[in-house]
Amino acid sequence: MSEKRKWLVNGLLCYLLFLLLATILAPVLTSYDPLSIGLAKTLQPPSAAHLFGTDELGRDVLTRLLYGGRISLTVGAAAMIIAIVIGAGFGVISGFLGGVADRIMMRILDALLSIPSILLMIGIQVFIPSSLLSVVVIIGMTSWMPIARLIRTEIMSLKGETFIQASVVVGASSTQLLTRHLLPQCLPTIIVMSISGVSHAILSEATLSFLGIGIPPHEPSWGNMLMGAQSYLLSGAWWIALFPGLLITCTVLAVTFLGDVLQDRFALPQIKKGGRK
Amino acid sequence: MKEYLLIVEDLSIQLQNDHEEQQLLDHVSFVVPTGEIVAIIGESGSGKSITAKAMLNLLPKGMAISSGKIEFNHKNVLTMNKKQRQFYRGTQVGFVFQDTSATFDALRTIGQHFLELFSTHTELSKKEVKERAIRLLEDMQLQNAENVYESYPFELSGGMRQRVQLALALALNPLLLIADEPTTALDSRIQAEVLHLIKDWSTRTGGSVLFITHDLGVVAEMADYVVVLKNGTVVETAPVVPLFDQPVHEHTKQLLHYHRELTNIREQLNQAVGGPLVTVENVGKAYFKKKWFRKQSIQAVRDVSFHIQKGEIVGLIGESGSGKSTLSRLLLQLEPYEQGKITWHGDPPFRKGVQWVHQDPLASFDPRWNVEKIVGEGLDYWKEKSDNKHKKVKEVLQKVGLHEKICSVYPYELSGGMKQRVAIARALLLEPELLILDEPFASLDMSSQARMLSLLQEINKKGKTAILFISHDIRAAMALCHRILVMDDGRIVEEANANELSSSINFYTNCLLSSMLTLHPSDRIHEKNKLGGKEYAIQKN
């Protein structure tokens, strides 16, 4: 890895670590309560007392950002895990079995993919009262399909490789093939997919909350705060929208870059060493 | 006095990159006389391909000519301007390479390749180009030249592509043809035909050929003069007959020794007959291709029966597409078969008792694994203690002539011969009773082939391991095997002991036998009549 690249990676990692720590240590970092309403000091611009200003109900924006970060990051990580587990499982089974089973599973996948995910999310929300858990489950359940398809294709092409047949000849069983050759080969794809899954989930949560069907409005999340900010933007209260928006952008960017870097890390040994293939 | 078409003097080439500086060619000098065929022979890494590229001024990035002179037809190649160079490369010199898939543009038909060539260097109309091209393709003995002209490269077989490449190289009547291992990837029958075509062209038009090869058989068949290259230096230059009769340099003697070993016919029969090991009875296998509403079947193996005895080396000879690889996959139970029966008489479970060495060893290794893991993989599946494993891997590596140091090396870092050995080590670790080797010599140069040959004989003798040797190379099979099966179009057409095969009366076997390269240049059947050829060329002009 080149020097420049190293700096970039370290910077990204520092940013994400700092964000994580800040959200965990939120009660220590600020003395305000994210939920307490102070009608006396609504829409105050950034000042020494309120570094990022206050919102329409007089709540401290910085405090809400920190507490909101907990929710946004939790949703990101948890929804990604759900999506990866379902997606990778589905893809591996479908690709490994092949034949009729694969065809049926892929048609199911096509059917699910043909429904716009935002519609699916809204549809499910009608039946389940919105809460943190429901948002996580909904995002997870609606974003595993592309992962499944990718993993299935990868398993399919690996299955035909000569070294898989060579392992069969020295006596590997199906499970051994899967755990020793196929899954490790897919690991880079899975890792990269899961990283980009995190940023996707953070964005989805923001979208849902912005539409008012995500996290309950009184609880702070980055998407929620954006929604609350939209009606005050025109009246000049830019700080309510800017800071959550910036945080979402920066975090998603950082996670995506990290995914790229990790992809190189998990490349084949000959590519890593810069040798020929 | 002789006319020299190409004179190379003190040519040195260096490889320069950030880390190292390496001398690839060290003061190489040789000449190509007009109308003669000069062969450059050397092992892999001796710098022979670099020499060919330097002749065309096509050196890859990072390599630079540090000294020397290349003179073609009294002109210095290295100081030519762009236009002269284009004329030199396009019309005065033709070249063919080993890898035909890389020399064609996959998205263009053969005709478009010809059109591009002619439109750059001549002013022929489209129609004239087509006529000339078809005549050239017919000269290369391609059937249905019109069809070939309209085909895309992927629609042609390897042998056909090589002939088209040759037709393209000779299209503008060059004075010199540079051929870099043009037949190495081909079946022996097609190899013989392509060599013949090149030789014919030289005789007919008086053109010179610079032929690059690692195979002394090709040299014996083709060359007038031989340049022996070793580690970037010329160790010997001689006319072909004296080179075979009285080699001067040690390296040449060594190469000749390998050549003799590889072409020696095995006289001794299998003595350690210990009863049957595998019996194959009336086995057939078809592949199905779905085409709209009907299924199209391709019969790869038809009604094949044979047996392998314990401790025997059996050769399975056939051309590409004859079904020999399919048969080996059936024997390995990698695919089910529809008809017939394969019976296993050996001791251990079948899966462990039959092991396989694939023709492309690198593809048969998991790219994330190092040598130790690859070789030791089999033990994990057969319940061996892990502390024992390292010792066993070391032992088996030693058995195939590899140092235990390479345990931690990744296979892509190894040379072709070493990769093959790693693959054999993996197979031997399970102590199989039958070892199936698919084209084990295909990608090796002569010295590696010779060493591989003696290794296989040793394995067979020491471990009483039976070997099924699958190859298109009938001569290698005769050198290694006790018994030989000849396969054509999915059938076994002949079965004979190695020393009896040469007196076969089977038509197909005889075809294969007659395509074998000559052992010694003085045995050439098609010795060309130089004078006649030159006169013909003059008359033509």
Side-chain angles (χ1 to χ4, degrees):
Chain A
M1 216 184 299
S2 68
E3 274 305 297
K4 234 184 187 170
R5 202 80 195 271
K6 243 179 208 160
W7 278 106
L8 180 72
V9 175
N10 288 343
L12 290 174
L13 280 175
C14 282
Y15 168 77
L16 288 175
L17 210 66
F18 174 74
L19 199 68
L20 204 65
L21 274 176
T23 54
I24 292 168
L25 298 176
V28 185
L29 292 175
T30 86
S31 49
Y32 300 101
D33 180 349
L35 299 180
S36 78
I37 299 171
L39 291 173
K41 39 178 187 172
T42 55
L43 296 175
Q44 285 183 4
S47 64
H50 299 284
L51 274 179
F52 285 3
T54 62
D55 67 2
E56 73 278 11
L57 294 175
R59 296 171 295 199
D60 182 45
V61 172
L62 177 63
T63 310
R64 280 181 73 79
L65 274 181
L66 291 179
Y67 282 95
R70 286 182 175 185
I71 288 178
S72 288
L73 293 181
T74 313
V75 169
M80 175 272 285
I81 290 172
I82 291 178
I84 283 293
V85 168
I86 301 178
F90 195 91
V92 166
I93 292 170
S94 176
F96 194 66
L97 290 181
V100 182
D102 173 55
R103 249 178 277 164
I104 293 171
M105 288 174 90
M106 279 302 112
R107 291 302 83 77
I108 294 172
L109 201 68
D110 286 340
L112 288 176
L113 270 174
S114 66
I115 310 168
S117 61
I118 194 87
L119 199 71
L120 209 61
M121 290 181 194
I122 295 172
I124 299 172
Q125 282 286 24
V126 175
F127 302 104
I128 314 173
S130 68
S131 68
L132 181 62
L133 185 70
S134 76
V135 169
V136 166
V137 171
I138 286 167
I139 295 175
M141 294 294 282
T142 52
S143 55
W144 60 270
M145 285 86 91
I147 303 173
R149 177 163 281 187
L150 202 70
I151 300 289
R152 173 222 173 225
T153 319
E154 193 135 326
I155 294 275
M156 278 274 200
S157 72
L158 282 170
K159 232 175 35 170
E161 293 274 336
T162 314
F163 69 85
I164 298 294
Q165 293 176 348
S167 294
V168 173
V169 171
V170 291
S173 65
S174 296
T175 13
Q176 281 162 331
L177 275 186
L178 209 55
T179 51
R180 293 173 62 101
H181 292 287
L182 295 172
L183 277 181
Q185 289 280 343
C186 287
L187 208 59
T189 318
I190 293 178
I191 285 169
V192 173
M193 285 303 277
S194 52
I195 297 289
S196 63
V198 171
S199 46
H200 173 252
I202 292 176
L203 279 178
S204 293
E205 183 271 327
T207 314
L208 281 182
S209 301
F210 182 78
L211 292 174
I213 50 173
I215 305 294
H218 61 90
E219 294 223 21
S221 90
W222 296 343
N224 250 345
M225 294 172 73
L226 266 186
M227 184 193 66
Q230 62 176 327
S231 32
Y232 298 93
L233 207 54
L234 283 178
S235 56
W238 51 268
W239 56 92
I240 318 180
L242 179 72
F243 294 114
L246 252 171
L247 261 183
I248 292 174
T249 313
C250 290
T251 311
V252 168
L253 263 179
V255 170
T256 312
F257 273 135
L258 204 67
D260 276 1
V261 173
L262 279 178
Q263 186 166 24
D264 296 351
R265 262 295 154 82
F266 284 92
L268 294 179
Q270 57 259 54
I271 298 170
K272 240 192 289 186
K273 283 194 188 172
R276 289 165 300 163
K277 207 189 157 179
Chain B
M1 211 190 111
K2 258 191 194 141
E3 282 270 331
Y4 294 128
L5 183 65
L6 181 76
I7 303 172
V8 177
E9 254 177 39
D10 284 332
L11 185 70
S12 297
I13 293 176
Q14 271 182 339
L15 173 74
Q16 283 162 328
N17 54 26
D18 305 342
H19 311 293
E20 51 185 339
E21 220 172 80
Q22 202 186 340
Q23 192 85 5
L24 295 176
L25 282 190
D26 191 10
H27 296 278
V28 167
S29 305
F30 61 91
V31 290
V32 180
T34 309
E36 308 261 341
I37 298 178
V38 175
I40 297 183
I41 184 165
E43 304 275 87
S44 47
S46 61
K48 53 192 195 305
S49 280
I50 299 296
T51 315
K53 293 220 169 80
M55 295 306 112
L56 297 164
N57 220 332
L58 277 178
L59 284 176
K61 241 186 174 168
M63 291 185 193
I65 294 175
S66 50
S67 78
K69 203 167 81 173
I70 301 171
E71 202 173 279
F72 178 82
N73 223 358
H74 311 296
K75 280 190 211 86
N76 190 343
V77 173
L78 300 176
T79 56
M80 281 177 178
N81 63 29
K82 210 174 160 190
K83 210 162 177 194
Q84 283 171 321
R85 206 181 308 150
Q86 199 184 10
F87 178 66
Y88 162 73
R89 272 191 208 150
T91 57
Q92 294 190 306
V93 181
F95 43 95
V96 277
F97 295 117
Q98 177 184 350
D99 185 5
T100 51
S101 55
T103 47
F104 290 107
D105 182 342
L107 297 177
R108 292 199 200 177
T109 62
I110 299 302
Q112 282 168 322
H113 283 88
F114 273 103
L115 272 176
E116 187 191 12
L117 180 77
F118 280 110
S119 66
T120 320
H121 297 288
T122 65
E123 276 163 19
L124 291 176
S125 73
K126 237 179 168 174
K127 214 176 130 206
E128 286 169 313
V129 168
K130 191 171 174 180
E131 273 169 21
R132 285 252 321 248
I134 285 174
R135 211 163 55 230
L136 281 161
L137 292 172
E138 274 166 357
D139 278 351
M140 293 302 130
Q141 289 165 21
L142 277 162
Q143 315 263 303
N144 260 335
E146 298 239 4
N147 280 350
V148 173
Y149 188 80
E150 305 292 344
S151 313
Y152 285 94
F154 69 88
E155 295 176 295
L156 305 175
S157 71
M160 283 162 96
R161 274 206 300 266
Q162 195 56 272
R163 281 177 217 214
V164 173
Q165 206 192 1
L166 195 58
L168 276 166
L170 302 180
L172 297 168
N173 296 323
L175 301 170
L176 174 69
L177 175 71
I178 297 179
D180 187 359
E181 304 253 15
T183 58
T184 308
L186 302 179
D187 280 347
S188 39
R189 202 153 58 127
I190 299 164
Q191 163 170 0
E193 280 165 11
V194 170
L195 292 180
H196 208 123
L197 286 171
I198 293 177
K199 192 140 198 183
D200 239 32
W201 170 81
S202 168
T203 320
R204 211 172 60 228
T205 63
S208 316
V209 180
L210 181 63
F211 202 97
I212 284 145
T213 181
H214 70 267
D215 186 352
L216 267 176
V218 174
V219 173
E221 184 79 36
M222 293 284 288
D224 299 312
Y225 285 91
V226 187
V227 177
V228 184
L229 212 58
K230 189 196 177 192
N231 296 335
T233 49
V234 174
V235 295
E236 186 166 353
T237 316
V240 66
V241 179
L243 185 98
F244 272 78
D245 288 340
Q246 296 132 357
V248 181
H249 193 271
E250 272 312 307
H251 185 63
T252 319
K253 283 182 197 161
Q254 191 69 45
L255 287 178
L256 280 166
H257 172 71
Y258 290 142
H259 183 234
R260 267 195 299 279
E261 240 171 67
L262 285 169
T263 52
N264 186 18
I265 294 175
R266 185 168 187 148
E267 288 295 339
Q268 150 219 15
L269 294 177
N270 182 24
Q271 271 137 18
V273 174
L277 187 65
V278 183
T279 327
V280 178
E281 282 170 290
N282 307 98
V283 164
K285 166 86 189 170
Y287 289 102
F288 291 100
K289 215 160 75 178
K290 251 197 189 157
K291 226 177 182 187
W292 292 102
F293 296 108
R294 62 203 165 84
K295 266 188 180 174
Q296 203 180 21
S297 77
I298 299 156
Q299 195 78 28
V301 173
R302 307 162 196 252
D303 197 21
V304 162
S305 305
F306 66 93
H307 63 97
I308 299 171
Q309 306 270 358
K310 284 180 182 160
E312 189 182 28
I313 308 182
V314 177
L316 183 61
I317 305 303
E319 294 179 334
S320 45
S322 63
K324 54 192 193 321
S325 285
T326 308
L327 186 58
S328 76
R329 296 162 58 76
L330 296 182
L331 275 175
L332 286 159
Q333 294 194 349
L334 284 172
E335 274 176 59
Y337 45 91
E338 287 101 34
Q339 302 144 16
K341 204 164 76 179
I342 297 176
T343 330
W344 171 247
H345 307 285
D347 275 335
F350 178 85
R351 224 337 125 236
K352 202 176 167 188
V354 181
Q355 288 300 315
W356 183 42
V357 176
H358 190 257
Q359 57 176 315
D360 180 0
L362 188 59
S364 72
F365 302 145
D366 189 321
R368 327 194 124 248
W369 286 13
N370 63 18
V371 170
E372 178 170 6
K373 245 180 136 180
I374 289 166
V375 173
E377 185 183 3
L379 288 182
D380 303 341
Y381 306 137
W382 299 100
K383 296 195 179 63
E384 287 282 336
K385 292 253 161 53
S386 57
D387 51 327
N388 212 357
K389 185 176 158 189
H390 186 66
K391 212 180 94 198
K392 277 204 156 172
V393 169
K394 270 204 285 193
E395 267 173 26
V396 81
L397 282 176
Q398 225 159 42
K399 218 187 269 178
V400 298
L402 289 170
H403 197 273
E404 57 185 73
K405 254 193 341 208
I406 71 159
C407 269
S408 58
V409 170
Y410 286 93
Y412 69 93
E413 294 171 279
L414 301 173
S415 71
M418 281 161 99
K419 280 179 209 145
Q420 203 92 49
R421 274 158 203 267
V422 171
I424 293 176
R426 169 171 66 184
L428 284 183
L429 189 73
L430 293 175
E431 290 161 4
E433 289 198 66
L434 175 64
L435 193 59
I436 298 183
L437 298 151
D438 197 350
E439 298 276 5
F441 291 172
S443 49
L444 305 180
D445 59 20
M446 252 178 29
S447 63
S448 314
Q449 282 184 12
R451 280 192 288 264
M452 190 58 69
L453 185 78
S454 51
L455 173 69
L456 292 178
Q457 278 167 344
E458 198 185 294
I459 289 169
N460 170 252
K461 227 189 245 165
K462 268 197 195 151
K464 299 264 178 278
T465 315
I467 292 176
L468 180 67
F469 175 83
I470 299 169
S471 175
H472 68 262
D473 186 352
I474 197 165
R475 190 151 256 162
M478 280 157 80
L480 175 69
C481 304
H482 300 116
R483 203 151 52 87
I484 290 175
L485 310 166
V486 182
M487 202 164 175
D488 179 32
D489 197 20
R491 290 190 183 84
I492 289 184
V493 295
E494 169 138 33
E495 182 180 344
N497 288 330
N499 53 355
E500 291 162 4
L501 196 70
S502 49
S503 53
S504 159
I505 49 162
N506 183 289
F507 175 73
Y508 183 73
T509 312
N510 271 309
C511 272
L512 288 182
L513 286 170
S514 67
S515 71
M516 286 192 311
L517 301 170
T518 43
L519 290 178
H520 192 278
S522 55
D523 304 338
R524 278 180 208 169
I525 314 160
H526 321 285
E527 188 52 72
K528 62 178 177 184
N529 183 344
K530 278 243 164 75
L531 203 67
K534 278 212 178 111
E535 270 168 7
Y536 175 78
I538 292 163
Q539 274 170 9
K540 207 177 158 196
N541 289 342

